[in-house]
């Protein structure tokens, strides 16, 4: 028995005092996140945009061997121009769509009648009872209002990004000085490297996948002649960052508009079956293949994080749920007292990828 105990490696144990202190700190943090949402949301968006710019500039350096300053300028220009274009499209067409949403609501009854012969009376009754009661104008204001708010905060986010990029090189030196000891500084730098690597991979891959999905969806919308095709394409791009339910919402809205805009059921079926199949294939095959297991997050944790951040920060929190939770998991994995919680949050209990930053 003694030899077995000696051979058993020491493992981190979750102490009751740690759980108590963690619950207290977590409660205070949740209150702070909710109360400081107006300040923290633009700052968090700026940090993620900064991560995307760094990933793009590093790729430019690797491909073209360009100077660091030139690669940074190229990254800032491309990313901020893309964000401005997305927010401008949403902001400019949001007002038009919100004004015309009443017309779509009055046409919905006749659209439901057109699909009665296709799906039967029982399903048609279900659609009437559940979809007609939905306040589409409220949903439109909720989705597009958030985009308009982001457009208003675009310049604040750009200002944050500019200063973050300016202090990129000096930040590591300040970490070493603030740490006090080389070992603490190395551990903190390792944690930041792991966070940076995971965020760069997630934001970069999700951006490429979302662009690919939005491009194909936009082509389908334009061929069909769907109204506000640019808005639905941009929303498809943005909603793909919301785990699980984002891709479903990205298909539902243009499909509903096609249902009331066209006299035939064909465009509705093309969007539901075509774009829905595309979203399914990308979400279940392409996305996992490119991201792999690098995020190492439990599936249940993804849904839980989506619910939590949406409750705290609204729709913007849904977009930020995965990257924010990845940061929390990595920080917990580098704190010995919180490492058991990180193991529970992980996909398979292995934290080796986070520790190594690979």
């Amino acid at each position: 028995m003694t030899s077995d105990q000696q051979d058993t490696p020491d493992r981190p144990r979750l102490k009751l005092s740690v759980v108590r202190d963690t619950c207290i700190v977590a409660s205070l943090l949740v209150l702070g996140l909710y109360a400081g949402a107006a300040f923290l949301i633009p700052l968090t968006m700026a940090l993620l945009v900064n991560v995307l710019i760094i990933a793009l500039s590093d790729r430019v350096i690797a491909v073209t061997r360009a100077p660091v300053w030139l690669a940074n300028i190229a990254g800032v220009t491309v990313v901020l121009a893309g964000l401005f274009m997305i927010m401008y499209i949403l902001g400019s067409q949001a007002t038009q769509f919100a004004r015309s949403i009443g017309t779509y609501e009055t046409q919905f009854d006749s659209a439901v009648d057109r699909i009665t012969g296709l799906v039967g009376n029982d399903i048609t009754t279900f659609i009437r009872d559940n979809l007609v009661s939905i306040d589409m104008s409220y949903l439109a204001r909720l989705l597009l209002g958030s985009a308009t708010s982001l457009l208003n905060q675009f310049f604040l986010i750009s200002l944050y990004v500019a200063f973050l990029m300016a202090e990129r090189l000096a930040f590591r030196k300040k970490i070493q000085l603030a740490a006090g000891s080389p070992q603490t500084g190395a551990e903190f730098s390792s944690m930041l490297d792991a966070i940076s690597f995971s965020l760069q991979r997630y934001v970069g891959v999700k951006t490429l996948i979302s662009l690919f999905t939005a491009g194909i969806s936009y082509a389908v919308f334009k061929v069909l002649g769907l109204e506000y095709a640019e808005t639905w394409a941009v929303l498809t791009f943005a909603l793909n960052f919301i785990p699980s339910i984002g891709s479903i919402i990205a298909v539902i809205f243009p499909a509903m508009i096609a249902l009331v805009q066209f006299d035939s059921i064909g465009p509705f079926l093309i969007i539901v079956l075509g774009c829905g199949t595309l979203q399914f294939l990308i979400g279940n095959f392409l996305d996992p293949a490119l991201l792999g297991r690098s995020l190492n997050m439990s599936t249940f944790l993804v849904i839980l994080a989506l619910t939590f951040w949406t409750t705290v920060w609204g729709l913007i929190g849904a977009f930020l749920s995965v990257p924010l939770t990845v940061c929390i998991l990595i920080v917990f994995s580098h704190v010995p007292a919180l490492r058991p919680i990180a193991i529970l949050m992980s996909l398979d209990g292995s934290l080796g990828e986070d520790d190594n930053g690979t």
Side-chain angles (χ1 to χ4, degrees):
M1 179 65 69
T2 304
S3 60
D4 293 338
Q5 292 177 348
Q6 292 176 351
D7 294 337
T8 302
D10 293 334
R11 295 181 179 179
R13 297 181 180 179
L14 196 60
K15 298 180 180 180
L16 183 60
S17 60
V18 174
V19 175
R20 179 200 60 202
D21 295 342
T22 302
C23 291
I24 295 174
V25 173
S27 301
L28 294 176
L29 286 176
V30 171
L31 291 176
L33 289 172
Y34 183 80
F39 165 74
L40 293 175
I41 288 177
L43 179 60
T44 305
M45 292 291 295
L47 290 173
L48 290 179
V49 170
N50 184 66
V51 167
L52 182 59
I53 291 174
I54 292 175
L56 183 59
S57 63
D58 290 344
R59 179 64 60 180
V60 170
I61 293 174
V63 173
T64 64
R65 304 296 180 182
V68 176
W69 64 269
L70 183 59
N72 288 338
I73 292 177
V76 170
T77 302
V78 171
V79 173
L80 292 185
L83 286 176
F84 179 79
M85 184 180 302
I86 291 173
M87 295 178 185
Y88 176 77
I89 292 174
L90 290 179
S92 61
Q93 294 194 350
T95 304
Q96 301 176 21
F97 178 71
R99 290 175 178 175
S100 61
I101 193 66
T103 305
Y104 290 115
E105 288 179 333
T106 59
Q107 295 175 350
F108 189 73
D109 279 334
S110 61
V112 172
D113 291 334
R114 291 199 298 269
I115 65 174
T116 302
L118 181 65
V119 298
N121 292 326
D122 294 337
I123 299 180
T124 304
T125 303
F126 174 81
I127 293 175
R128 286 183 183 276
D129 295 340
N130 292 275
L131 293 183
V132 174
S133 61
I134 296 177
D135 189 352
M136 295 296 293
S137 61
Y138 171 76
L139 291 177
R141 290 193 300 270
L142 179 64
L143 289 173
L144 300 177
S146 298
T148 305
S149 176
L150 277 180
L151 180 62
N152 295 333
Q153 295 180 352
F154 175 78
F155 295 103
L156 178 60
I157 295 174
S158 301
L159 183 64
Y160 286 158
V161 170
F163 282 99
L164 287 172
M165 291 298 297
E167 297 190 6
R168 177 186 175 186
L169 297 178
F171 186 68
R172 287 189 174 273
K173 296 180 180 179
K174 291 191 290 186
I175 289 178
Q176 297 294 334
L177 294 175
S181 65
Q183 182 179 0
T184 304
E187 292 176 356
F188 195 73
S189 296
S190 175
M191 181 181 67
L192 291 180
D193 289 339
I195 293 175
S196 178
F197 174 82
S198 296
L199 290 183
Q200 285 185 29
R201 183 173 180 82
Y202 174 78
V203 175
V205 171
K206 289 296 292 185
T207 299
L208 292 177
I209 293 176
S210 298
L211 283 173
F212 176 75
T213 308
I216 296 179
S217 299
Y218 178 70
V220 173
F221 299 155
K222 291 299 289 185
V223 170
L224 294 176
L226 187 68
E227 294 180 352
Y228 307 106
E230 292 80 8
T231 296
W232 306 128
V234 171
L235 283 178
T236 299
F237 169 82
L239 289 171
N240 269 272
F241 283 87
I242 300 179
S244 303
I245 65 173
S247 58
I248 299 176
I249 300 175
V251 174
I252 288 178
F253 272 93
M256 296 293 291
I257 297 301
L259 187 63
V260 299
Q261 177 183 341
F262 300 102
D263 295 330
S264 64
I265 200 68
F268 170 80
L269 294 178
I270 290 175
I271 293 176
V272 170
L273 298 178
C275 296
T277 302
L278 174 66
Q279 295 280 7
F280 175 81
L281 293 176
I282 290 177
N284 290 275
F285 296 99
L286 182 60
D287 203 344
L290 293 179
L291 283 175
R293 301 167 67 86
S294 61
L295 297 182
N296 195 25
M297 286 177 59
S298 166
T299 306
F300 174 72
L301 178 63
V302 173
I303 303 300
L304 191 64
L306 174 64
T307 305
F308 170 77
W309 288 109
T310 304
T311 304
V312 175
W313 281 356
L315 183 62
I316 302 301
F319 288 97
L320 302 176
S321 61
V322 172
L324 288 174
T325 308
V326 168
C327 295
I328 294 174
L329 191 153
I330 294 175
V331 170
F332 281 10
S333 69
H334 283 76
V335 178
L338 301 177
R339 189 175 176 84
I341 301 178
I343 293 175
L344 295 176
M345 296 172 62
S346 66
L347 179 64
D348 54 7
S350 174
L351 302 177
E353 292 179 353
D354 293 334
D355 290 342
N356 299 329
T358 58

